[in-house]
């Protein structure tokens, strides 16, 4: 049941869709005024408006569950007939609820985490501005409006990563003095914010180029309008521009979601407050790229029904996701900073989502990969936001971002310990009891059953990444909560600092998400089947993508697991057992010293060094795109501008003009007879020329 209206958006159903993103913007606009009256009140205002936005999103859930949608528009720029609108369909409604409710919990967490910060008004302004921009991306009905939200989250991300702009040492990331290929691997908040801004802008430029290419042929930015006709796609395909245009759009997703090769900004983004990391770099902004692919992917796939094949687009999406998943997972194995480990994990898990959405387009059962990718988005948003907030509590109490400065904390921080285990098990994909298990298993099955030529290598990468994920998660928990207290903690206790549990406002939000990770996981198979059914109806009604009904085949699995792929299920179990087993041996049981193990073999030592140095990708980027351009600019300045222009051209022209002036000056004798003589000679010369 779709509604479409031109005018004020006060229709009963549409009002909620508009309010979801308008309310956070409204909160941001009034925040400076509230801050002038009372800084303490700003937190209550932020939490209140975040709650109202989340409730507005929740009010649309019944409509989503019935596979209905609202498409409501108002006139934007009347002179060119451009309309602004909201598109509340099952995809955007579910995403809006994920963003809305996790944002609300993070706002509550922030009231404790940011308590006493002198720039708290600025913090709340940018957090609410970000939420509004993200919801604008989710609910927009056209690419141009999406781009406004896209740039909004980029601006807010820059401001929040650089929030502690005074660049104190405690707010840096990396190890002071450490270099890689001559490049300092130690970054201040302002540097990190600028790096994130510039790298994501590379993707943004690609995105707007793709948008304009499509608009040039289609004459519209609207998603519904693009689906309504295929003439524009046929014209673009005839000129070989269709796949490039969609790949350019995907470039925007690569930048925002920190996918290879634009992934290096995400690590330095950890200079922002942990509440920022939880909101922007775990639950929402980095998911914007996944959402964009989920929004345009069905359109690209549906064009195949008209004979317009774009398999190359899905291959690129799948492989970018696979490479990112494995590349960042390996780096999470060795990094000593807890927030960086979680950041590596975030990029890796988003790679999983991209892989699933790419594989969906390479399969006859598009809905399988589509559902798997989006289910993992929902699952990951819960357990990763929980892990980030829990990590923030650890930093808040211990006063260090390094896991080597922690250890033995499970007795003093029992709640955080329990909740990190619950959320960590979700990240590891603990069998049958976590959402992460069901969503990862769905991705494994979608890849394995796709029947594509790339299915096997993609499947191997997916399983290997799952093993590494279970390992680095166990490593993180082992280093933080097991073993002896670090010298850092002992020194704190000697100075009278008592290690204790985080405040109620901090542990309750991540506790809720951790419990949901397990709670929903217990009914995970039913949840996945419900989501699969919902997206089957959505894709069929909105895009005409039909799902073939499989025949009932005999399965070796017990009745309650019927419908699962045995190979995918077996791989999930083996991956979890292998990863957590290795992690237990090194970091919980402490049966083998990891430092001695690495140093025992030149091969292990070399691999560890390469991975710890971020596969040298970050350093190479700096050499190629920072150092080399600066050298070139300085060379041009020194040898061309100063030498050729300043000393050559400018000085030469000056001297030539001076010499000419002296010559002319020499002819000015002041004697009338001389002037008459020159005049007569000139006149005679002209006459002779004319006669000849």
């Amino acid at each position: 049941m779709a509604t479409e209206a031109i005018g004020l958006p006060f229709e009963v159903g549409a009002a909620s869709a508009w309010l979801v993103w308008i309310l956070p913007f409204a909160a941001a606009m009034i925040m400076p005024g509230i801050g002038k009256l009372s800084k303490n009140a700003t937190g209550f205002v932020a939490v209140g408006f975040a709650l109202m936005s989340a409730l507005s999103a929740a009010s649309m859930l019944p409509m989503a569950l019935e596979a209905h949608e609202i498409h409501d528009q108002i006139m934007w720029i009347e002179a060119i007939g451009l309309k602004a609108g909201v598109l509340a369909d099952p995809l955007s409604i579910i995403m809006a609820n994920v963003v809305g409710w996790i944002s609300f919990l993070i706002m509550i967490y922030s009231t404790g985490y940011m308590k006493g910060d002198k720039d708290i008004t600025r913090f709340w302004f940018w957090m609410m501005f970000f939420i509004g921009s993200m919801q604008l991306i989710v609910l927009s009905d056209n690419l141009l409006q999406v781009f406004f939200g896209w740039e909004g989250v980029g601006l807010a991300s820059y401001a929040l990563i650089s929030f502690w702009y005074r660049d104190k040492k405690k707010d840096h990331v990396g190890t002071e003095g450490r270099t890689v290929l001559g490049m300092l691997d130690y970054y201040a908040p302002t540097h990190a914010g600028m790096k994130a801004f510039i790298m994501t802008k590379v993707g943004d430029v690609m995105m707007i180029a793709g948008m304009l290419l499509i608009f040039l042929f289609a004459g519209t930015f609207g998603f519904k309008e693009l689906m309504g006709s295929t003439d524009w796609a046929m014209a673009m395909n005839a000129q070989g521009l269709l796949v490039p245009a969609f790949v350019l759009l995907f470039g925007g997703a690569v930048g925002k979601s920190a996918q290879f090769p634009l992934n290096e900004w995400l690590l330095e983004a950890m200079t922002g407050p942990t509440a920022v990391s939880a909101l922007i770099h775990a639950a929402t902004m980095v998911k914007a790229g996944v959402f964009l692919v989920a929004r345009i992917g069905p359109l690209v796939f549906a064009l195949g029904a008209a004979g317009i094949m774009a398999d190359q687009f899905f291959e690129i999406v799948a492989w970018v996701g696979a490479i990112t998943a494995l590349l960042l997972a390996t780096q999470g194995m060795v990094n000593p900073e807890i927030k960086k480990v979680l950041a590596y994990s975030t990029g890796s898990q988003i790679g999983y989502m991209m892989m699933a959405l790419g594989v969906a387009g390479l399969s006859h059962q598009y809905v399988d990969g589509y559902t798997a990718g989006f289910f993992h988005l929902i699952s990951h948003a819960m357990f990763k936001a929980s892990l980030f907030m829990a990590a923030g509590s650890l930093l808040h109490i211990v006063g260090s971002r390094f896991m080597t400065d922690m250890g033995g904390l499970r007795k003093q921080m029992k709640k955080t310990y329990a909740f990190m285990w619950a959320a960590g098990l979700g990240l590891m994909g603990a069998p049958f009891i976590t959402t992460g298990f069901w969503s990862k298993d769905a991705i494994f099955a979608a890849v394995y059953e796709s029947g594509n030529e790339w299915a096997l290598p993609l499947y191997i990468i997916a399983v290997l990444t799952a093993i590494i994920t279970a390992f680095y998660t166990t490593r993180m928990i082992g280093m933080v909560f097991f073993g002896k207290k670090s010298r850092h903690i002992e020194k704190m206790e000697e100075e009278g600092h008592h290690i204790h549990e985080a405040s109620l406002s901090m542990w309750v939000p991540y506790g809720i998400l951790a419990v949901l990770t397990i709670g929903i996981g217990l009914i995970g198979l039913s949840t996945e089947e419900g989501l699969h059914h919902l997206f089957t109806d959505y894709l069929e009604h909105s895009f005409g993508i039909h799902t073939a009904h499989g025949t009932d085949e005999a399965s070796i699995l017990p009745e309650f697991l019927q419908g699962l792929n045995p190979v995918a299920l077996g791989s999930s179990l083996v991956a979890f057992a292998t990863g957590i087993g290795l992690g237990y041996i090194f970091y919980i049981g402490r049966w083998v010293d990891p430092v001695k193990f690495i140093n025992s073999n030149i091969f292990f030592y070399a691999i560890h060094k390469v991975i710890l140095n971020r596969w040298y990708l970050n350093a190479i980027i700096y050499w190629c795109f920072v150092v080399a351009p600066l050298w070139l600019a300085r060379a041009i300045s020194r040898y061309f501008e100063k030498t050729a222009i300043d000393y050559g051209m400018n000085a030469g022209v000056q001297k030539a003009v001076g010499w000419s002036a002296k010559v002319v000056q020499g002819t000015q004798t002041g004697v009338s007879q001389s002037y008459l003589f020159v005049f007569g000679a000139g006149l005679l010369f002209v006459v002779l020329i004319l006669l000849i």
Side-chain angles (χ1 to χ4, degrees), residues 125-468:
F125 170 84
W126 284 115
M127 290 289 272
M128 297 309 297
F129 184 89
F130 170 82
I131 295 171
S133 298
M134 185 66 200
Q135 295 288 31
L136 178 61
I137 291 173
V138 172
L139 289 163
S140 291
D141 76 331
N142 64 84
L143 281 167
L144 184 59
Q145 205 170 305
V146 166
F147 193 72
F148 273 84
W150 202 265
E151 293 303 288
V153 296
L155 178 61
S157 177
Y158 164 73
L160 288 167
I161 292 170
S162 307
F163 181 77
W164 285 315
Y165 62 89
R166 294 172 183 86
D167 288 348
K168 296 179 180 179
K169 283 187 177 182
K170 67 181 182 67
D171 300 323
H172 286 50
V173 293
T175 303
E176 186 175 4
R178 187 174 185 276
T179 61
V180 179
L181 295 181
M183 294 289 102
L184 191 65
D185 195 27
Y186 181 65
Y187 302 98
T190 52
H191 180 101
M194 186 59 68
K195 181 177 181 178
F197 189 81
I198 292 173
M199 290 196 75
T200 55
K201 281 296 161 287
V202 174
D204 295 353
V205 170
M206 295 173 67
M207 180 179 175
I208 198 169
M211 287 168 47
L212 294 176
L213 264 177
I214 292 173
F215 181 80
L216 182 65
F217 284 85
T220 181
F221 291 109
F223 297 122
K224 301 291 285 186
E225 291 81 358
L226 289 172
M227 193 59 215
S229 171
T230 60
D231 293 343
W232 62 273
M234 295 179 70
M236 291 186 74
N237 194 50
Q239 297 190 33
L241 293 175
L242 184 65
V243 172
F246 281 114
V247 170
L248 285 170
L249 282 179
F250 177 60
V254 169
K256 278 290 186 288
S257 291
Q259 297 294 281
F260 179 81
L262 299 178
N263 58 281
E264 291 300 326
W265 66 267
L266 187 62
L267 281 300
E268 278 65 68
M270 296 303 107
T271 56
T274 304
V276 172
S277 303
L279 178 66
I280 296 180
H281 307 119
T284 52
M285 188 186 90
V286 289
K287 302 293 197 307
V290 180
F291 178 80
L292 179 65
V293 176
R295 175 60 83 193
I296 65 174
L299 172 61
V300 180
F301 188 80
L303 292 175
I308 307 170
M309 303 304 295
D311 287 355
Q312 299 96 325
F313 169 76
F314 291 109
E315 288 178 357
I316 291 171
V317 172
W319 274 107
V320 166
I323 292 170
T324 307
L326 183 58
L327 180 71
L328 297 190
T330 58
Q331 296 179 61
M333 296 168 62
V334 299
N335 201 279
E337 297 179 57
I338 188 168
K339 284 177 66 177
K340 276 194 173 184
V341 171
L342 293 174
Y344 281 123
S345 174
T346 295
S348 177
Q349 296 302 301
I350 290 173
Y352 261 132
M353 301 168 207
M354 291 294 190
M355 186 196 308
L357 294 176
V359 165
L362 301 174
S363 170
H364 295 298
Q365 288 283 69
Y366 183 81
V367 70
D368 290 349
Y370 191 83
T371 301
F374 204 78
F375 185 27
H376 197 56
L377 182 152
I378 299 169
S379 175
H380 178 265
M382 289 190 297
F383 61 66
K384 186 54 66 64
S386 179
L387 284 168
F388 259 112
M389 287 190 280
S393 292
L394 292 168
L395 269 66
H396 199 69
I397 301 300
V398 177
S400 174
R401 63 184 180 274
F402 292 97
M403 293 185 289
T404 49
D405 287 335
M406 302 178 191
L409 293 175
R410 66 185 185 277
K411 294 180 181 179
Q412 291 98 333
M413 302 183 71
K414 294 179 181 179
K415 294 184 181 69
T416 299
Y417 170 64
F419 293 141
M420 283 198 78
W421 257 123
L425 287 172
L427 175 57
M428 289 187 274
F432 310 121
I433 62 169
T434 62
T435 56
F437 169 76
W438 300 108
S439 57
K440 281 187 182 179
D441 182 79
I443 292 174
F444 287 179
V447 174
Y448 184 79
E449 296 172 356
S450 66
N452 185 266
E453 60 179 320
W454 300 115
L456 182 58
L458 288 173
Y459 189 78
I460 293 172
I461 291 174
V463 175
L464 183 57
T465 302
I467 295 172
I468 296 172

Side-chain angles (χ1 to χ4, degrees), residues 54 57-61 92-102 135:
S59 69
M60 298 186 291
L61 277 174
S92 59
I93 291 172
I94 293 173
M95 185 69 180
N97 276 276
V98 171
V99 173
W101 287 107
I102 291 182
Q135 295 288 31

Side-chain angles (χ1 to χ4, degrees), residues 415-582:
K415 294 184 181 69
T416 299
Y417 170 64
F419 293 141
M420 283 198 78
W421 257 123
L425 287 172
L427 175 57
M428 289 187 274
F432 310 121
I433 62 169
T434 62
T435 56
F437 169 76
W438 300 108
S439 57
K440 281 187 182 179
D441 182 79
I443 292 174
F444 287 179
V447 174
Y448 184 79
E449 296 172 356
S450 66
N452 185 266
E453 60 179 320
W454 300 115
L456 182 58
L458 288 173
Y459 189 78
I460 293 172
I461 291 174
V463 175
L464 183 57
T465 302
I467 295 172
I468 296 172
T469 301
F471 173 79
Y472 68 64
T473 307
T474 308
R475 169 182 178 265
M476 176 183 67
I477 292 174
M479 291 182 70
V480 172
F481 294 106
F482 289 83
K484 297 179 180 179
K485 294 179 182 178
S486 68
R487 181 69 190 108
H488 174 77
I489 292 178
E490 290 178 347
K491 185 178 180 181
M492 287 181 64
E493 292 179 336
E494 290 170 3
E495 295 173 352
H497 297 287
H498 176 62
I499 302 298
H500 56 85
E501 188 57 80
S503 64
L504 186 70
S505 62
M506 291 175 66
W507 68 257
V508 167
Y510 61 79
I512 290 173
L513 292 173
V515 170
L516 284 175
T517 298
I518 302 297
I520 298 177
L522 293 173
I523 56 169
L525 186 56
S526 299
T527 304
E528 181 192 343
E529 289 175 349
L531 200 61
H532 191 281
H533 178 72
L534 177 64
F535 281 135
T536 297
D537 291 343
Y538 164 65
L539 293 171
E540 184 171 351
H541 293 155
S542 297
F543 300 94
I545 299 174
H546 301 286
T547 301
H549 296 285
T551 57
D552 293 331
E553 298 179 358
S555 174
I556 61 173
L557 298 176
E559 185 176 351
F560 78 99
L561 294 177
Q562 291 297 314
L564 295 181
N565 183 289
V567 175
L569 178 60
S571 299
S572 298
L573 298 176
V574 169
F576 172 76
T578 304
I580 196 172
L582 290 172

